[in-house]
Structures are given as structure tokens and as C-alpha cells.
């Protein structure tokens, strides 16, 4: 793994644990605004570290038309996958349908509306760079698509600390790896991931009974 990729992972981890730093706001709008600022700074640093790569992709890539088709259709497939997997997770594994992680993030967004940018756009972009471009992309060259996708997806699932819904995160992560593998364009999975998160946040913010949306989850 090239040095800049290692640096990106370190910066991402620092963003991830920043709320644990002494002096970081603990509650309410101040917490959400501060965390959003950290995400903005992280995205800026990661973008600067990626400057040496004038193109995000080095191998063959899908055509623009095919990439757009994957991006648009992929969002619908993501929702179908998570709904079906949520039902299986609940009916067979006995796990709760609703996600506490999603509830917490949406609750934070209610208190700090600016945080919707982190949950819906910045977070998904960073996750695609780290888990798909860096982990999956680097591992695929050494151990092939299947094992690289599994390892990347397991890491993606574990980093959300929503252990009762690991299966859902694993399936979503694997499909995003597959799309990246098929298109060769990380911007496609960035769009899919961001569109799905934004839709979940907007739906959950605007329903009178949040429990009724327990079958959709926020992947952030």
C-alpha cells in the first residue's frame, strides 16, 4: 500500500475518534457542528493527499453511459438489498429491525442540521475512498475480487459499530465493491452511497413515527 493511502487511513481514523478528544463538545448542536467541521477538514486533507493521482482510477473503466446506469440503478438495488437483508436479519437471526445507529445519527441531525452534510455526502465519500478504493482496490491486486471484497466489507461493517446489523452492512459493502469492480469508477459508488444515505436521512426526518422506517438503514 502506497504511503499516501496509509496517511489517508490515519487521517480517517483520527476523524473517526475525534469526539473522544478532550474539549470536544459532547452534546447537542455544538457536537454536531464540531463533528461536521472535522469531516470537512478530513475531506480536504484526503483530497490533497490524492492530488498526485491525477486520475482516481488507473485501470480500465466503464463508459460514461454504463457508469451512469450503474449509479442510478445501483441506488435502487442498494435499497432492495438492505430491505431484504434486514428482513432476513430479523426473521432468521432474531435481530431488531430498526437500527439504533441510524436513530442516533438522525437524532444528531435534528439537533444540528448542518450534520446532514457529513452523514449524507462527506461521510459516504470518505468511506468509499477508504473501504472501496484503498482497502478493496489494494487487496484485489493481491488476493482477487472475492476475498478482497469480503475483507473490505467486514471492515466496513465493523467500523459502524452496529453489531446487530453486521449482515446488512456486509451485504451493502460487498455490492459496492462489486460495482466498483465492474465500473472501475469510485465516483459511481460515491454517488450510490451518498444518494442512499441522503434519502434515508430525509425520509427518517420527515416521518411522524421513526419506527416505521426501521427497514432502512444509514450507512455512515
Amino acid at each position: 500500500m502506497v504511503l499516501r493511502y496509509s496517511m489517508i487511513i490515519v487521517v480517517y481514523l483520527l476523524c473517526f475518534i475525534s469526539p473522544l478528544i478532550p474539549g470536544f463538545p459532547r452534546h447537542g448542536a455544538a457536537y454536531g457542528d464540531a463533528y461536521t467541521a472535522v469531516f470537512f477538514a478530513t475531506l480536504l486533507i484526503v483530497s490533497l493527499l490524492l492530488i498526485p493521482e491525477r486520475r482516481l482510477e488507473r485501470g480500465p473503466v466503464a463508459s460514461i453511459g454504463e457508469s451512469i446506469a450503474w449509479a442510478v440503478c445501483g441506488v435502487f438495488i442498494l435499497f432492495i438489498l438492505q430491505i431484504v437483508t434486514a428482513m432476513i436479519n430479523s426473521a432468521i437471526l432474531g435481530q431488531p429491525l430498526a437500527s439504533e445507529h441510524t436513530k442516533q445519527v438522525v437524532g444528531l441531525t435534528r439537533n444540528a442540521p448542518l450534520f446532514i452534510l457529513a452523514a449524507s455526502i462527506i461521510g459516504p465519500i470518505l468511506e468509499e475512498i477508504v473501504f472501496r478504493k484503498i482497502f478493496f482496490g489494494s487487496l484485489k491486486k493481491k488476493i482477487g475480487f472475492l476475498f478482497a471484497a469480503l475483507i473490505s466489507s467486514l471492515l466496513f461493517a465493523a467500523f459502524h459499530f452496529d453489531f446487530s446489523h453486521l449482515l446488512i452492512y456486509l451485504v451493502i459493502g460487498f455490492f459496492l465493491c462489486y460495482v466498483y469492480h465492474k465500473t472501475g469508477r469510485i465516483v459511481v459508488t460515491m454517488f450510490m452511497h451518498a444518494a442512499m444515505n441522503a434519502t434515508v436521512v430525509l425520509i427518517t426526518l420527515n416521518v411522524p413515527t421513526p419506527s416505521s422506517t426501521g427497514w432502512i438503514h444509514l450507512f455512515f
Side-chain angles (χ1 to χ4, degrees), residues 177-200:
C177 286
Y178 176 76
V179 174
Y180 182 38
H181 172 70
K182 291 293 290 184
T183 64
R185 297 181 186 271
I186 197 67
V187 293
V188 173
T189 60
M190 285 177 178
F191 174 84
M192 290 165 54
H193 195 159
M196 180 181 63
N197 273 23
T199 303
V200 172

mmCIF file of all heavy atoms in Angstrom, residues 177-200:
data_model
loop_
_atom_site.group_PDB
_atom_site.id
_atom_site.type_symbol
_atom_site.label_atom_id
_atom_site.label_comp_id
_atom_site.label_asym_id
_atom_site.label_seq_id
_atom_site.Cartn_x
_atom_site.Cartn_y
_atom_site.Cartn_z
ATOM 1 N N CYS A 177 -18.454 -2.946 -3.492
ATOM 2 C CA CYS A 177 -17.197 -3.459 -4.051
ATOM 3 C C CYS A 177 -17.418 -4.001 -5.463
ATOM 4 O O CYS A 177 -16.603 -3.774 -6.360
ATOM 5 C CB CYS A 177 -16.629 -4.564 -3.160
ATOM 6 S SG CYS A 177 -15.901 -3.998 -1.608
ATOM 7 N N TYR A 178 -18.521 -4.719 -5.641
ATOM 8 C CA TYR A 178 -18.821 -5.298 -6.949
ATOM 9 C C TYR A 178 -19.003 -4.206 -8.003
ATOM 10 O O TYR A 178 -18.471 -4.315 -9.120
ATOM 11 C CB TYR A 178 -20.075 -6.165 -6.861
ATOM 12 C CG TYR A 178 -20.509 -6.737 -8.194
ATOM 13 C CD1 TYR A 178 -19.831 -7.804 -8.764
ATOM 14 C CD2 TYR A 178 -21.593 -6.185 -8.882
ATOM 15 C CE1 TYR A 178 -20.214 -8.324 -9.995
ATOM 16 C CE2 TYR A 178 -21.984 -6.700 -10.114
ATOM 17 C CZ TYR A 178 -21.295 -7.762 -10.665
ATOM 18 O OH TYR A 178 -21.669 -8.270 -11.889
ATOM 19 N N VAL A 179 -19.740 -3.162 -7.651
ATOM 20 C CA VAL A 179 -19.963 -2.068 -8.601
ATOM 21 C C VAL A 179 -18.646 -1.371 -8.935
ATOM 22 O O VAL A 179 -18.389 -1.036 -10.100
ATOM 23 C CB VAL A 179 -20.996 -1.071 -8.046
ATOM 24 C CG1 VAL A 179 -21.120 0.148 -8.967
ATOM 25 C CG2 VAL A 179 -22.357 -1.743 -7.885
ATOM 26 N N TYR A 180 -17.819 -1.154 -7.928
ATOM 27 C CA TYR A 180 -16.511 -0.531 -8.177
ATOM 28 C C TYR A 180 -15.668 -1.429 -9.080
ATOM 29 O O TYR A 180 -14.984 -0.956 -9.995
ATOM 30 C CB TYR A 180 -15.804 -0.280 -6.842
ATOM 31 C CG TYR A 180 -14.457 0.398 -6.970
ATOM 32 C CD1 TYR A 180 -14.230 1.395 -7.918
ATOM 33 C CD2 TYR A 180 -13.396 0.028 -6.151
ATOM 34 C CE1 TYR A 180 -13.000 2.011 -8.037
ATOM 35 C CE2 TYR A 180 -12.158 0.639 -6.261
ATOM 36 C CZ TYR A 180 -11.958 1.625 -7.205
ATOM 37 O OH TYR A 180 -10.737 2.231 -7.328
ATOM 38 N N HIS A 181 -15.735 -2.731 -8.846
ATOM 39 C CA HIS A 181 -15.009 -3.695 -9.670
ATOM 40 C C HIS A 181 -15.510 -3.666 -11.119
ATOM 41 O O HIS A 181 -14.716 -3.727 -12.056
ATOM 42 C CB HIS A 181 -15.189 -5.093 -9.072
ATOM 43 C CG HIS A 181 -14.660 -6.200 -9.912
ATOM 44 N ND1 HIS A 181 -13.311 -6.416 -10.111
ATOM 45 C CD2 HIS A 181 -15.305 -7.181 -10.612
ATOM 46 C CE1 HIS A 181 -13.142 -7.463 -10.894
ATOM 47 N NE2 HIS A 181 -14.333 -7.946 -11.216
ATOM 48 N N LYS A 182 -16.822 -3.564 -11.305
ATOM 49 C CA LYS A 182 -17.408 -3.594 -12.646
ATOM 50 C C LYS A 182 -17.168 -2.303 -13.416
ATOM 51 O O LYS A 182 -16.954 -2.327 -14.623
ATOM 52 C CB LYS A 182 -18.908 -3.861 -12.554
ATOM 53 C CG LYS A 182 -19.279 -5.261 -12.099
ATOM 54 C CD LYS A 182 -18.899 -6.318 -13.124
ATOM 55 C CE LYS A 182 -19.767 -6.229 -14.373
ATOM 56 N NZ LYS A 182 -19.461 -7.321 -15.333
ATOM 57 N N THR A 183 -17.237 -1.175 -12.733
ATOM 58 C CA THR A 183 -17.138 0.115 -13.427
ATOM 59 C C THR A 183 -15.733 0.699 -13.411
ATOM 60 O O THR A 183 -15.360 1.452 -14.316
ATOM 61 C CB THR A 183 -18.089 1.144 -12.805
ATOM 62 O OG1 THR A 183 -17.686 1.408 -11.453
ATOM 63 C CG2 THR A 183 -19.524 0.643 -12.815
ATOM 64 N N GLY A 184 -14.951 0.370 -12.379
ATOM 65 C CA GLY A 184 -13.627 0.969 -12.244
ATOM 66 C C GLY A 184 -13.677 2.431 -11.869
ATOM 67 O O GLY A 184 -12.648 3.115 -11.907
ATOM 68 N N ARG A 185 -14.856 2.927 -11.499
ATOM 69 C CA ARG A 185 -15.025 4.347 -11.163
ATOM 70 C C ARG A 185 -15.533 4.484 -9.731
ATOM 71 O O ARG A 185 -16.673 4.136 -9.431
ATOM 72 C CB ARG A 185 -16.016 5.023 -12.119
ATOM 73 C CG ARG A 185 -15.573 5.054 -13.574
ATOM 74 C CD ARG A 185 -16.611 5.771 -14.420
ATOM 75 N NE ARG A 185 -16.323 5.726 -15.835
ATOM 76 C CZ ARG A 185 -15.584 6.642 -16.481
ATOM 77 N NH1 ARG A 185 -15.054 7.654 -15.821
ATOM 78 N NH2 ARG A 185 -15.384 6.528 -17.784
ATOM 79 N N ILE A 186 -14.691 5.025 -8.847
ATOM 80 C CA ILE A 186 -15.085 5.195 -7.453
ATOM 81 C C ILE A 186 -16.189 6.237 -7.314
ATOM 82 O O ILE A 186 -16.977 6.200 -6.355
ATOM 83 C CB ILE A 186 -13.860 5.570 -6.581
ATOM 84 C CG1 ILE A 186 -14.158 5.348 -5.094
ATOM 85 C CG2 ILE A 186 -13.429 7.008 -6.833
ATOM 86 C CD1 ILE A 186 -14.350 3.904 -4.721
ATOM 87 N N VAL A 187 -16.282 7.159 -8.269
ATOM 88 C CA VAL A 187 -17.337 8.178 -8.193
ATOM 89 C C VAL A 187 -18.724 7.548 -8.319
ATOM 90 O O VAL A 187 -19.711 8.106 -7.821
ATOM 91 C CB VAL A 187 -17.153 9.270 -9.270
ATOM 92 C CG1 VAL A 187 -15.905 10.089 -9.001
ATOM 93 C CG2 VAL A 187 -17.114 8.669 -10.669
ATOM 94 N N VAL A 188 -18.813 6.401 -8.961
ATOM 95 C CA VAL A 188 -20.101 5.714 -9.095
ATOM 96 C C VAL A 188 -20.587 5.244 -7.731
ATOM 97 O O VAL A 188 -21.728 5.473 -7.341
ATOM 98 C CB VAL A 188 -20.002 4.528 -10.076
ATOM 99 C CG1 VAL A 188 -21.296 3.721 -10.072
ATOM 100 C CG2 VAL A 188 -19.696 5.026 -11.486
ATOM 101 N N THR A 189 -19.709 4.581 -6.968
ATOM 102 C CA THR A 189 -20.118 4.115 -5.649
ATOM 103 C C THR A 189 -20.275 5.273 -4.675
ATOM 104 O O THR A 189 -21.093 5.203 -3.758
ATOM 105 C CB THR A 189 -19.120 3.077 -5.090
ATOM 106 O OG1 THR A 189 -17.824 3.663 -4.984
ATOM 107 C CG2 THR A 189 -19.053 1.863 -5.989
ATOM 108 N N MET A 190 -19.509 6.334 -4.870
ATOM 109 C CA MET A 190 -19.705 7.529 -4.043
ATOM 110 C C MET A 190 -21.120 8.079 -4.221
ATOM 111 O O MET A 190 -21.809 8.417 -3.253
ATOM 112 C CB MET A 190 -18.688 8.613 -4.422
ATOM 113 C CG MET A 190 -17.282 8.383 -3.935
ATOM 114 S SD MET A 190 -16.198 9.718 -4.534
ATOM 115 C CE MET A 190 -14.629 9.251 -3.777
ATOM 116 N N PHE A 191 -21.551 8.162 -5.468
ATOM 117 C CA PHE A 191 -22.895 8.669 -5.751
ATOM 118 C C PHE A 191 -23.950 7.749 -5.149
ATOM 119 O O PHE A 191 -24.908 8.213 -4.508
ATOM 120 C CB PHE A 191 -23.114 8.784 -7.259
ATOM 121 C CG PHE A 191 -24.526 9.158 -7.632
ATOM 122 C CD1 PHE A 191 -24.932 10.480 -7.633
ATOM 123 C CD2 PHE A 191 -25.456 8.171 -7.957
ATOM 124 C CE1 PHE A 191 -26.248 10.818 -7.954
ATOM 125 C CE2 PHE A 191 -26.766 8.494 -8.279
ATOM 126 C CZ PHE A 191 -27.156 9.826 -8.276
ATOM 127 N N MET A 192 -23.809 6.447 -5.357
ATOM 128 C CA MET A 192 -24.781 5.491 -4.839
ATOM 129 C C MET A 192 -24.895 5.594 -3.319
ATOM 130 O O MET A 192 -25.997 5.658 -2.763
ATOM 131 C CB MET A 192 -24.370 4.070 -5.236
ATOM 132 C CG MET A 192 -24.497 3.763 -6.710
ATOM 133 S SD MET A 192 -23.600 2.248 -7.173
ATOM 134 C CE MET A 192 -24.295 1.058 -6.024
ATOM 135 N N HIS A 193 -23.754 5.590 -2.669
ATOM 136 C CA HIS A 193 -23.704 5.620 -1.204
ATOM 137 C C HIS A 193 -24.309 6.924 -0.668
ATOM 138 O O HIS A 193 -25.124 6.910 0.267
ATOM 139 C CB HIS A 193 -22.245 5.481 -0.770
ATOM 140 C CG HIS A 193 -22.052 5.139 0.664
ATOM 141 N ND1 HIS A 193 -20.894 4.563 1.143
ATOM 142 C CD2 HIS A 193 -22.846 5.310 1.753
ATOM 143 C CE1 HIS A 193 -21.001 4.367 2.446
ATOM 144 N NE2 HIS A 193 -22.173 4.835 2.841
ATOM 145 N N ALA A 194 -23.919 8.050 -1.272
ATOM 146 C CA ALA A 194 -24.420 9.351 -0.819
ATOM 147 C C ALA A 194 -25.922 9.490 -1.076
ATOM 148 O O ALA A 194 -26.667 9.997 -0.226
ATOM 149 C CB ALA A 194 -23.660 10.482 -1.515
ATOM 150 N N ALA A 195 -26.371 9.037 -2.248
ATOM 151 C CA ALA A 195 -27.797 9.134 -2.572
ATOM 152 C C ALA A 195 -28.633 8.297 -1.616
ATOM 153 O O ALA A 195 -29.712 8.723 -1.167
ATOM 154 C CB ALA A 195 -28.034 8.689 -4.017
ATOM 155 N N MET A 196 -28.142 7.098 -1.292
ATOM 156 C CA MET A 196 -28.875 6.242 -0.359
ATOM 157 C C MET A 196 -28.932 6.873 1.029
ATOM 158 O O MET A 196 -29.995 6.945 1.647
ATOM 159 C CB MET A 196 -28.208 4.870 -0.278
ATOM 160 C CG MET A 196 -28.897 3.909 0.681
ATOM 161 S SD MET A 196 -28.050 2.309 0.776
ATOM 162 C CE MET A 196 -26.459 2.821 1.462
ATOM 163 N N ASN A 197 -27.794 7.361 1.524
ATOM 164 C CA ASN A 197 -27.774 7.979 2.852
ATOM 165 C C ASN A 197 -28.662 9.207 2.921
ATOM 166 O O ASN A 197 -29.409 9.405 3.889
ATOM 167 C CB ASN A 197 -26.347 8.340 3.234
ATOM 168 C CG ASN A 197 -25.612 7.199 3.907
ATOM 169 O OD1 ASN A 197 -25.967 6.040 3.725
ATOM 170 N ND2 ASN A 197 -24.595 7.510 4.673
ATOM 171 N N ALA A 198 -28.581 10.053 1.898
ATOM 172 C CA ALA A 198 -29.394 11.267 1.887
ATOM 173 C C ALA A 198 -30.876 10.928 1.892
ATOM 174 O O ALA A 198 -31.674 11.573 2.605
ATOM 175 C CB ALA A 198 -29.047 12.115 0.662
ATOM 176 N N THR A 199 -31.254 9.916 1.126
ATOM 177 C CA THR A 199 -32.661 9.508 1.082
ATOM 178 C C THR A 199 -33.130 8.995 2.437
ATOM 179 O O THR A 199 -34.220 9.349 2.912
ATOM 180 C CB THR A 199 -32.865 8.420 0.014
ATOM 181 O OG1 THR A 199 -32.428 8.909 -1.256
ATOM 182 C CG2 THR A 199 -34.333 8.014 -0.075
ATOM 183 N N VAL A 200 -32.311 8.163 3.084
ATOM 184 C CA VAL A 200 -32.675 7.628 4.401
ATOM 185 C C VAL A 200 -32.828 8.744 5.419
ATOM 186 O O VAL A 200 -33.787 8.766 6.200
ATOM 187 C CB VAL A 200 -31.616 6.604 4.872
ATOM 188 C CG1 VAL A 200 -31.881 6.197 6.329
ATOM 189 C CG2 VAL A 200 -31.623 5.377 3.983
#
